[in-house]
């Protein structure tokens, strides 16, 4: 049974130096390490992963990665492999974030990355989400296809190495059109569970589902309570330790 809420901070390409990254992590860890009902994962830019890993004490606040390539080594300039992350002791990686998809990452590449990360022993936080919502509900088909495509190289026995983050692109980042409603997120968490149920013949509840997109200290609690999600993927608000601490504390109270 999943009891802890999973709260992942995606730091994107912030902050600009290691000193700030370490200070933010220490401030977040101070609060996160006191919370019994929350698992916190901070995903910094690659260059800070080693530094932050050294600051980890215990299991409540750990370090993940924002991306990984689909081969473990080779002529792939600028890429970081899942085996490299694994060798640093990183346990989870975000794959298929919409900001990477917007820069040309295709469903095919996402699916190869998912399979490679799982093979390297990492837990994959797979991001899915529509760019916009249409009246006919085609976005539901799109999300379910994104999921099926991304998981085509994953065996059912490895589904326990997956976390699915529903991130509607229109609700992410500073260009967000609006925050998603708790009903928007609920609708898709049900869809994701159904898609898993279709794929593995079980009820699909074994895979944790996160919501992400303009989460802040005010709406975090509502998403956790009303959208049937197991946690949150937080971008901008995870870079402000005070705001992120409020989100973590809210999550701690929603058992
Ligand atoms: C994200 O980058 O995954 C994200 C959800 O961003 P934000 O919280 O800033 O909308």
């Amino acid at each position: 049974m999943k009891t802890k809420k999973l709260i992942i901070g995606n730091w994107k390409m912030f902050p600009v130096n290691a000193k700030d990254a370490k200070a933010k992590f220490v401030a977040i860890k101070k609060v996160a390490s006191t919370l019994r009902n929350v698992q916190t994962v901070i995903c910094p830019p690659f260059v800070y992963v080693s530094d932050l890993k050294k600051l980890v004490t215990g299991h409540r606040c750990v370090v993940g990665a924002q991306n990984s390539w689909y081969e473990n080594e080779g002529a792939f300039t600028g890429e970081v492999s899942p085996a490299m992350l694994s060798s640093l002791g990183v346990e989870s990686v975000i794959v298929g974030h919409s900001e990477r998809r917007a820069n040309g990452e295709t469903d095919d590449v996402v699916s190869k990355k998912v399979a490679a990360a799982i093979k390297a022993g990492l837990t994959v936080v797979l991001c899915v989400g529509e760019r916009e919502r249409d009246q006919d509900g085609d976005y539901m088909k799109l999300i379910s296809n994104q999921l099926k495509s991304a998981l085509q190289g994953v065996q059912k026995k490895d589904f326990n190495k997956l976390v699915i983050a529903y991130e509607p692109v229109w609700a992410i980042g500073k260009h967000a059109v609006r925050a998603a409603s708790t009903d928007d997120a609920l609708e898709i968490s049900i869809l994701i569970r159904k898609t898993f149920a279709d794929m593995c013949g079980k009820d699909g509840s074994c895979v944790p589902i996160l919501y992400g997109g303009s989460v802040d200290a005010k709406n975090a609690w509502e998403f956790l309570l009303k959208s049937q999600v197991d946690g949150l993927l937080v971008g901008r608000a995870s870079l402000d330790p005070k705001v992120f601490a409020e989100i973590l504390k809210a999550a701690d109270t929603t058992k």
Side-chain angles (χ1 to χ4, degrees), residues 35-180:
L35 306 175
R36 284 165 172 257
N37 305 318
V38 178
Q39 173 66 60
T40 303
V41 181
I42 296 298
C43 299
F46 286 133
V47 287
Y48 305 138
V49 166
S50 283
D51 279 347
L52 300 196
K53 280 285 299 168
K54 289 185 195 128
L55 299 172
V56 171
T57 46
H59 296 284
R60 288 185 186 166
C61 183
V62 299
V63 178
Q66 295 178 16
N67 178 40
S68 59
W69 189 242
Y70 56 71
E71 297 282 355
N72 280 330
E73 56 185 355
F76 302 104
T77 303
E79 299 294 349
V80 168
S81 81
M84 290 170 186
L85 294 173
S86 204
S87 78
L88 286 179
V90 169
E91 290 174 9
S92 58
V93 61
I94 298 171
V95 176
H97 192 279
S98 61
E99 287 159 9
R100 298 199 59 85
R101 292 184 193 254
N103 281 332
E105 192 162 297
T106 60
D107 281 346
D108 182 46
V109 169
V110 170
S111 111
K112 286 180 179 162
K113 286 184 171 188
V114 170
I118 287 180
K119 201 165 169 205
L122 300 172
T123 292
V124 169
V125 181
L126 170 66
C127 297
V128 295
E130 76 283 10
R131 260 180 231 278
E132 54 194 10
R133 287 208 164 193
D134 58 292
Q135 300 281 359
D136 301 330
D138 285 348
Y139 61 93
M140 307 256 275
K141 189 88 200 134
L142 180 136
I143 292 167
S144 144
N145 286 344
Q146 271 180 344
L147 256 183
K148 287 179 187 157
S149 160
L151 302 182
Q152 59 189 304
V154 181
Q155 295 181 352
K156 285 176 196 153
K157 70 169 178 53
D158 290 327
F159 279 6
N160 63 349
K161 300 294 286 176
L162 290 169
V163 173
I164 308 299
Y166 169 53
E167 295 214 308
V169 181
W170 48 267
I172 294 181
K174 62 180 183 198
H175 301 298
V177 182
R178 66 171 171 91

Side-chain angles (χ1 to χ4, degrees), residues 10 12 97 99 167 171-173 212-215 233-237:
N10 171 20
K12 310 186 190 225
H97 192 279
E99 287 159 9
E167 295 214 308
I172 294 181
S214 299
V215 170
L233 179 51
V234 185
R236 288 156 296 162

Side-chain angles (χ1 to χ4, degrees), residues 4-8 38-41 163 208 210 230-233:
K4 288 190 177 214
K5 296 293 179 203
L6 175 59
I7 310 293
I8 302 182
V38 178
Q39 173 66 60
T40 303
V41 181
V163 173
L210 312 184
D230 305 290
L232 302 166
L233 179 51

